[in-house]
Amino acid sequence: MLRSYFRQRPHLIYIMPAILILGLLTLIPTIFLYVLSVTNYELGYESFKFVGLDNFIRLFSGGDPEFWHSFWISIVFMVIVTAVELLLGFWLATLLDREFKLKFLAFACLIVPIAMTPSITGQIWKLMLNAEYGVLNYFLQFFGGKVIWLSAENAFWSTVLVDIWQNTPFVALIIYAGIRSLPTDPYEAAAIDGANKWQIFRSVTLPLLKPMILLAVVFRAIDSLKTFDIPYSLTQGGPGSSTEFLSLHIYRLGFAQTGWVGRSAAVSVILLLLTTVISWLLIQAYRRGVDNRG
């Protein structure tokens, strides 16, 4: 049976080694994570015991109130940055679809944020957002203003700003590639029928671009939900817990302060399941969009 399966799918023979290696690299850490999540293991202690679902019960019963704070700000962060990056990315993609001088320079400027690692991005923006010496406040002083960008009130929105700056070009390039691949026949038919620009955009462009839009949403929603580098570089989760997203909460519980690896693993499992559910829903929407387009 196995031989006939591979005979019908000969390409699997060539990619199977890579699949096995990636599968093991994913499966073994995942199993280890689930095992740790049902123990009371702490860093520095050799002995630990099985505690069942106690770690999860503590989280959902309010035993760790900061968990729910991290949970909700992670969801809000994901929704905000995904929506804003999608809108700005779509706008940039439509601008890039026109011919203009120095278009290559515009593409080069878009590539720069994508090429930078998030940790370096966070460090650069941390200097720019400095309340005393940052370049943003330097220009704001000419208008009589000054913002404490990384205060408890503004740190979350500053993190949103930095994430939007880095990842909007990625969304723009995805949608731009989709625009460039659109067929011309529907536009010619719409023009013959007398449709105006808004009607063409609403009835032709958006439906045809739906798979690419959903693809961009899938990438950005998943990535922003588990963000770590940028908020850690900017604020280390502070001030207080204003930017302590789930990933930073996991880090603080398991490694930064308390060393509660078992409890940290339980939060990691919840983040993994949350990411899996959201990914599945978005991928299903993407597949429906591809099928409808086909």
Side-chain angles (χ1 to χ4, degrees), residues 4-62:
S4 62
Y5 179 83
F6 280 104
R7 188 179 296 114
Q8 296 173 4
R9 301 168 178 83
H11 61 280
L12 289 180
I13 298 175
Y14 301 99
I15 64 175
M16 189 55 67
I19 292 177
L20 289 175
I21 293 173
L22 290 175
L24 289 174
L25 291 176
T26 303
L27 186 62
I28 293 175
T30 302
I31 294 174
F32 186 63
L33 173 66
Y34 279 102
V35 171
L36 281 178
S37 69
V38 293
T39 68
N40 65 346
Y41 178 67
E42 296 184 28
L43 285 178
Y45 293 88
E46 295 183 0
S47 61
F48 60 92
K49 64 180 181 179
F50 174 78
V51 295
L53 298 177
D54 285 357
N55 291 330
F56 297 95
I57 294 172
R58 179 184 289 108
L59 293 175
F60 289 104
S61 63

Side-chain angles (χ1 to χ4, degrees), residues 67-124:
F67 163 75
W68 287 110
H69 170 76
S70 299
F71 179 89
W72 289 116
I73 65 170
S74 296
I75 296 294
V76 172
F77 179 82
M78 177 192 70
V79 173
I80 292 175
V81 299
T82 303
V84 174
E85 288 166 11
L86 181 61
L87 292 174
L88 290 178
F90 197 99
W91 176 66
L92 286 174
T94 56
L95 292 180
L96 291 172
D97 192 41
R98 306 170 183 176
E99 293 300 325
F100 56 90
K101 292 182 179 180
L102 301 179
K103 187 175 181 178
F104 70 93
L105 185 59
F107 275 102
C109 293
L110 287 177
I111 293 297
V112 171
I114 301 174
M116 295 176 64
T117 59
S119 57
I120 298 300
T121 300
Q123 291 293 340
I124 292 174

Side-chain angles (χ1 to χ4, degrees), residues 1 23 29 38 45 47-48 65 72 88 102-103 114 117 136-137 183 186 189 205-206 208 235 240-241 261 269 276 290:
M1 182 181 296
V38 293
Y45 293 88
S47 61
F48 60 92
W72 289 116
L88 290 178
L102 301 179
K103 187 175 181 178
I114 301 174
T117 59
L136 293 187
N137 274 351
T205 304
L206 276 182
L208 291 176
T235 64
S241 58
V261 176
V269 169
T276 302
V290 172

Side-chain angles (χ1 to χ4, degrees), residues 173-222:
L173 292 179
I174 289 179
I175 297 177
Y176 173 77
I179 292 175
R180 300 296 290 183
S181 65
L182 293 180
T184 58
D185 294 345
Y187 290 92
E188 294 173 356
I192 293 173
D193 292 338
N196 57 38
K197 290 184 178 180
W198 168 247
Q199 290 172 329
I200 292 175
F201 174 78
R202 184 187 61 186
S203 303
V204 179
T205 304
L206 276 182
L208 291 176
L209 278 179
K210 185 178 178 181
M212 301 306 295
I213 293 173
L214 289 173
L215 182 65
V217 171
V218 168
F219 281 131
R220 288 307 309 133
I222 296 172

